[in-house]
Amino acid sequence: MRRRAFFIDRDGTISEEVGYVNHPSRYRVFPFAAEAVKLINRAGWLAVLVTNQAGVARGYFKEDLIAEVHEQLKQGLASEGARLDAIYYCPHHPSVGDAPYRAECDCRKPKPGLIARAAEELDIDLARSWTIGDRYGDTELARNAGTRAALVLTGYGRGEFEYQRGSWRHQPDLIAENLLEAVREILRTDDDAKHERATG
Ligand SMILES: [Mg+2]
Ligand SMILES: [Zn+2]
């Protein structure tokens, strides 16, 4: 059977929004992140990170740094018993930098390329999956990719929600304080999960 997934934004959602993470020392995972990912693991859903990293195209850092930061993230989560199943990122920018990173790609969020690739490679049922992020662009991403959308109030979330939601074309399906609350709420209200609990 096709798997269900949580597509999780990186900066502002699983880790602090600090502007460009141009060195691993700037990267700070939220204290609740491991618990959230563990709940996802235990529920049998996939935990998939999806992130724009245009700092590469902009020349702020090399693509290697992204791998280093993601290794740090994975190890930090693993030390608390949590597992990210996959990480997909877009290093491009449509109008800044040099080829191959200066590109009108199909993967820069809110374009659905990263999620489409994950769905293909990991056999994911998008209609029964969720995208969680701190920016309105993540809600647009969810719409474009065909998943449901949760907005978290960490990172840019609270400000965007308070001051900009009047102009949003789409509203998120769920608004939550943070990633852990979002995951809890989604799993708690999920019909299939309830069914699985009832039937043991
Ligand atoms: Mg973000
Ligand atoms: Zn891209």
Side-chain angles (χ1 to χ4, degrees):
M1 197 168 89
R2 287 154 86 207
R3 308 280 302 271
R4 306 174 77 179
F6 282 92
F7 295 102
I8 305 167
D9 167 55
R10 196 187 89 178
D11 301 325
T13 301
I14 201 165
S15 53
E16 283 179 32
E17 173 57 65
V18 297
Y20 288 96
V21 177
N22 64 351
H23 191 275
S25 63
R26 274 170 67 74
Y27 192 64
R28 284 186 186 70
V29 178
F30 281 128
F32 48 76
E35 184 61 30
V37 173
K38 263 194 285 192
L39 287 178
I40 294 170
N41 297 154
R42 220 177 291 147
W45 295 42
L46 294 167
V48 180
L49 197 79
V50 285
T51 177
N52 281 352
Q53 293 300 325
V56 177
R58 292 177 181 280
Y60 295 164
F61 47 83
K62 300 277 185 219
E63 201 168 350
D64 294 358
L65 175 78
I66 299 180
E68 210 179 317
V69 168
H70 289 168
E71 198 49 42
Q72 185 177 314
L73 168 62
K74 282 195 280 188
Q75 284 180 12
L77 292 172
S79 73
E80 295 187 66
R83 181 192 74 250
L84 276 184
D85 293 290
I87 297 178
Y88 293 86
Y89 64 88
C90 166
H92 308 111
H93 193 282
S95 59
V96 181
D98 301 315
Y101 298 116
R102 178 176 179 149
E104 194 61 66
C105 66
D106 69 351
C107 54
R108 181 170 163 81
K109 302 188 303 178
K111 288 184 179 175
L114 297 178
I115 289 182
R117 202 192 316 160
E120 175 83 28
E121 292 177 359
L122 303 172
D123 198 23
I124 293 166
D125 183 350
L126 292 176
R128 295 165 67 240
S129 296
W130 282 77
T131 300
I132 305 180
D134 68 311
R135 305 203 72 168
Y136 173 63
D138 297 301
T139 293
E140 284 217 312
L141 166 67
R143 291 292 173 263
N144 293 339
T147 74
R148 306 194 75 193
L151 179 85
V152 289
L153 299 179
T154 49
Y156 285 105
R158 192 174 305 279
E160 289 206 0
F161 182 69
E162 276 196 30
Y163 305 122
Q164 297 178 356
R165 74 175 183 271
S167 62
W168 291 349
R169 280 179 54 223
H170 308 286
Q171 296 298 320
D173 300 293
L174 173 74
I175 292 154
E177 271 306 309
N178 59 42
L179 177 64
L180 178 57
E181 294 307 317
V183 169
R184 274 189 183 139
E185 185 62 15
I186 290 164
L187 292 176
R188 190 181 67 76
T189 55
D190 179 69
D191 288 338
D192 293 0
K194 268 185 226 153
H195 179 74
E196 278 156 30
R197 272 199 300 278
T199 55

